[in-house]
Amino acid sequence: MEYRPNMDSTPIPEQPVEPQPAVRSQINKRPLSVTLLALIVLIITVINLLRLGLSIRYWSFLSSRSGISPLYLALTGLIWGAAGLSLLWGLWKAKKWAPKLMHAVGLTYALYYWLDHIYLMDRPVSGVSHAFRAVLPINWQFSAGLTVVGLIFMVWTLSREKVKAFFEAADVEAAQVQADNRDKE
């Protein structure tokens, strides 16, 4: 208890000091690497949602010209767009499950990307100078490098102590807010 001099002798109860929201946001500030990872997820998500939209818009053209069904293009665009949106939300809101989902989606998307390009991408067969041209896309070296760099960046980002602490602190803060809301009711 605290007493005020020159005032009446009524004690004033001490109030617990809670950190203000601005202070909490500085403690739980999103690391730059998580923001960059979320930006990469956003770009891939937009590309897949564009794939969905364009395959629906040009359905008849794709049906008549392409060897790949527009249904496949639309469904894969929808699936990866939905996965990307949920992952993006989890990363941005620092959900505890987001790092595990990022690992799963990142590895699955890399596998899907390569299977899609190897088995479904149109490749010129005539004038093949290398045996790899019959199996791999023309720019496979660039694509492979980008895939490896992206996977390494994902693993590095999510294994950093600062990032782990960010997701754990946000989870603890969310549980505390829920407990506070239950106490108020």
Side-chain angles (χ1 to χ4, degrees), residues 31-38 41 87 90-92 94-107 150-168:
L32 178 62
S33 58
V34 174
T35 303
L36 292 174
L37 196 60
V41 170
L87 181 57
L91 287 172
W92 201 255
K95 298 297 181 183
K96 187 177 183 176
W97 47 262
K100 288 182 182 179
L101 183 64
M102 182 70 225
H103 281 292
V105 170
L107 291 172
L151 290 174
I152 289 172
F153 179 72
M154 175 192 70
V155 170
W156 174 78
T157 296
L158 297 176
S159 65
R160 294 178 58 215
E161 290 301 320
K162 187 176 181 180
V163 172
K164 290 178 183 178
F166 167 70
F167 283 105
E168 289 172 11

Side-chain angles (χ1 to χ4, degrees), residues 65-124:
R65 299 280 182 181
S66 178
I68 301 171
S69 169
L71 180 62
Y72 168 78
L73 296 173
L75 282 177
T76 55
L78 175 66
I79 290 167
W80 290 113
L85 287 174
S86 64
L87 181 57
L88 182 64
W89 180 76
L91 287 172
W92 201 255
K93 294 292 187 175
K95 298 297 181 183
K96 187 177 183 176
W97 47 262
K100 288 182 182 179
L101 183 64
M102 182 70 225
H103 281 292
V105 170
L107 291 172
T108 307
Y109 189 80
L111 179 65
Y112 152 77
Y113 174 83
W114 280 99
L115 290 175
D116 186 67
H117 275 68
I118 289 172
Y119 291 111
L120 298 177
M121 188 175 178
D122 290 335
R123 290 174 303 280

Side-chain angles (χ1 to χ4, degrees), residues 163-185:
V163 172
K164 290 178 183 178
F166 167 70
F167 283 105
E168 289 172 11
D171 186 52
V172 168
E173 184 178 324
Q176 184 179 5
V177 168
Q178 287 178 351
D180 290 346
N181 288 341
R182 274 187 258 128
D183 291 342
K184 289 179 183 178
E185 293 174 356

Side-chain angles (χ1 to χ4, degrees), residues 10-68:
T10 309
I12 300 173
E14 291 183 15
Q15 297 291 329
V17 179
E18 288 189 37
Q20 297 299 321
V23 174
R24 282 185 183 169
S25 67
Q26 289 176 352
I27 293 171
N28 298 334
K29 187 176 178 186
R30 183 178 301 104
L32 178 62
S33 58
V34 174
T35 303
L36 292 174
L37 196 60
L39 181 63
I40 293 167
V41 170
L42 175 64
I43 291 168
I44 293 172
T45 301
V46 168
I47 289 170
N48 281 288
L49 291 174
L50 282 172
R51 180 179 183 156
L52 168 66
L54 291 173
S55 63
I56 291 171
R57 181 175 178 164
Y58 297 109
W59 192 280
S60 61
F61 175 77
L62 291 171
S63 295
S64 66
R65 299 280 182 181
S66 178
I68 301 171

